[in-house]
Amino acid sequence: MKPRRVPMRMCVGCREMQPKKELLRVVRTPDGKLEVDRTGKKSGRGAYICPRRRCLDAALKGKRLQKALAMDLSAEIIRELEDRLVEI
């Protein structure tokens, strides 16, 4: 049997390729709302970020997360991302 291929995604903070399951996904839904996608399967434009504080800081400082989602982030979404980092 061939080994199963692991889907890889790029972190917008550190720009490293990581397995999709290890990253957090932020999604802009078709109706224009920003959400942290806990399942990784919501429809919409998504951006991935490592569950590390320095990656989140780099993504916010360089506005990479906002560019990837083509939308400004609210304080609520940033706070939810920070809370998810504490959980992990």
Side-chain angles (χ1 to χ4, degrees), residues 19-33:
K20 181 180 173 182
K21 294 280 185 183
E22 294 178 12
L23 300 172
L24 298 175
R25 182 173 186 245
V26 181
V27 64
R28 184 189 72 211
T29 60
D31 57 341
K33 295 180 184 176

Side-chain angles (χ1 to χ4, degrees), residues 1-73:
M1 270 175 110
K2 290 189 340 185
R4 192 173 181 114
R5 187 181 65 83
V6 177
M8 303 290 279
R9 299 292 184 265
M10 184 182 290
C11 170
V12 294
C14 64
R15 302 278 194 188
E16 291 181 11
M17 296 296 284
Q18 304 263 341
K20 181 180 173 182
K21 294 280 185 183
E22 294 178 12
L23 300 172
L24 298 175
R25 182 173 186 245
V26 181
V27 64
R28 184 189 72 211
T29 60
D31 57 341
K33 295 180 184 176
L34 288 177
E35 300 175 4
V36 175
D37 185 6
R38 297 176 190 272
T39 63
K41 296 183 179 184
K42 287 188 180 181
S43 64
R45 175 82 178 160
Y48 293 86
I49 189 160
C50 295
R52 294 189 295 246
R53 181 67 184 192
R54 60 186 166 97
C55 287
L56 179 61
D57 291 339
L60 293 175
K61 182 179 177 186
K63 296 194 179 206
R64 292 185 212 144
L65 199 53
Q66 291 92 323
K67 288 177 187 174
L69 297 170
M71 190 174 191
D72 289 332
L73 298 178

